[in-house]
Amino acid sequence: MTYSILPLGRQVFKLFLYLVAFLAVLSAWGYNTNTILAGLGVGGLAVALAAQKTIENLFGGISVIGDRPVLVGDFCRFGNRVGTVTHIGLRSTRIRTLDRTVVSVPNGQFSAMELENFSERDKIWFHQTLGLRRDTTMEQLRRVLSSVRDILKQHPKVEVGDIPVRFVGIGQYSLDIEIFAYVLTPDFDDFLGIQQELLLELMRAVERAGTGLAVPLYRSEEHTS
């Protein structure tokens, strides 16, 4: 949080110091600062009306800092894009995208977006659907269900519920098995390694049961024609 607040706080503090210094100079020159401040109050209203977007962005930045939906360094989804927050300023928030470009989003717009903070994850969802061939027998289906359940429950970094593996439907080309579990890591690279390991084990379980994954009918026809 400190990395997000300090840059914005420094900018606000600098503006305050400039204003104090400006008034002090005017006072030293013999000007009545009370009159000037009263005039600034009237003029400030006109300026505020002319600078609505700037003020909106300022309060948007304060809102982002105060609510803390994301902090500097967080990886998040904003709108339909994803990236890492690199700076939250008075006017805008800068985000480095996966393409390594930097997107600058006005704070008024950014604070109104739906933000998904991936850095706040405590674990990552492992959700797969296995489509077995339609000629899979009931015994083979039961063996796959049992083997997949054992694979998930025996893995030290996988968290499962009461029914992590379930036969959910009969499709046009497949018998569908849904897998629902969590991998106990917030690190996405670590998750990818565990996911690969699990997928390979799932494929072995299907092979050991004597069946296979479904292939759409039109693809089979293409290979035989």
Side-chain angles (χ1 to χ4, degrees):
M1 178 179 176
T2 303
Y3 293 109
S4 301
I5 293 177
L6 286 180
L8 182 60
R10 279 198 295 264
Q11 295 176 58
V12 173
F13 186 63
K14 284 181 181 179
L15 289 177
F16 176 74
L17 287 181
Y18 290 149
L19 178 59
V20 171
F22 175 70
L23 292 175
V25 170
L26 291 180
S27 180
W29 288 350
Y31 291 97
N32 188 336
T33 54
N34 290 331
T35 304
I36 294 173
L37 287 173
L40 287 175
V42 176
L45 179 59
V47 172
L49 292 174
Q52 291 184 33
K53 283 296 181 183
T54 300
I55 296 174
E56 178 186 347
N57 290 330
L58 172 61
F59 281 96
I62 295 174
S63 175
V64 171
I65 292 296
D67 291 343
R68 294 186 295 169
V70 293
L71 301 176
V72 172
D74 284 349
F75 184 69
C76 68
R77 174 179 285 114
F78 57 107
N80 59 353
R81 308 184 71 174
V82 296
T84 302
V85 179
T86 61
H87 176 75
I88 300 175
L90 284 174
R91 190 196 72 82
S92 65
T93 295
R94 292 199 293 270
I95 302 171
R96 186 173 295 279
T97 68
L98 296 180
D99 292 327
R100 307 304 297 165
T101 60
V102 175
V103 177
S104 181
V105 184
N107 284 331
Q109 178 183 344
F110 188 72
S111 62
M113 284 182 171
E114 180 178 322
L115 303 175
E116 184 177 3
N117 192 337
F118 296 112
S119 298
E120 290 295 315
R121 288 184 298 202
D122 56 348
K123 51 192 174 185
I124 301 178
W125 189 26
F126 179 73
H127 185 224
Q128 301 288 331
T129 298
L130 289 180
L132 303 181
R133 296 195 313 248
R134 281 291 301 271
D135 61 357
T136 299
T137 66
M138 185 175 294
E139 180 59 30
Q140 289 172 330
L141 178 58
R142 291 183 189 278
R143 289 178 61 187
V144 172
L145 290 170
S146 177
S147 296
V148 172
R149 188 182 301 109
D150 290 341
I151 289 170
L152 295 175
K153 288 187 173 182
Q154 292 171 9
H155 198 288
K157 299 199 73 173
V158 173
E159 177 185 278
V160 298
D162 294 334
I163 310 177
V165 187
R166 47 262 192 159
F167 177 37
V168 294
I170 302 174
Q172 184 176 1
Y173 305 109
S174 63
L175 304 179
D176 297 329
I177 295 175
E178 183 184 32
I179 301 168
F180 190 110
Y182 285 98
V183 176
L184 299 176
T185 177
D187 184 271
F188 195 68
D189 288 337
D190 190 20
F191 167 77
L192 290 177
I194 296 172
Q195 176 179 251
Q196 176 177 273
E197 177 186 338
L198 290 172
L199 291 175
L200 290 173
E201 287 296 326
L202 297 182
M203 292 181 67
R204 290 192 189 99
V206 172
E207 291 176 358
R208 286 196 299 267
T211 183
L213 299 179
V215 178
L217 183 59
Y218 72 90
R219 292 185 181 175
S220 299
E221 291 176 345
E222 287 177 356
H223 289 304
T224 59
S225 61

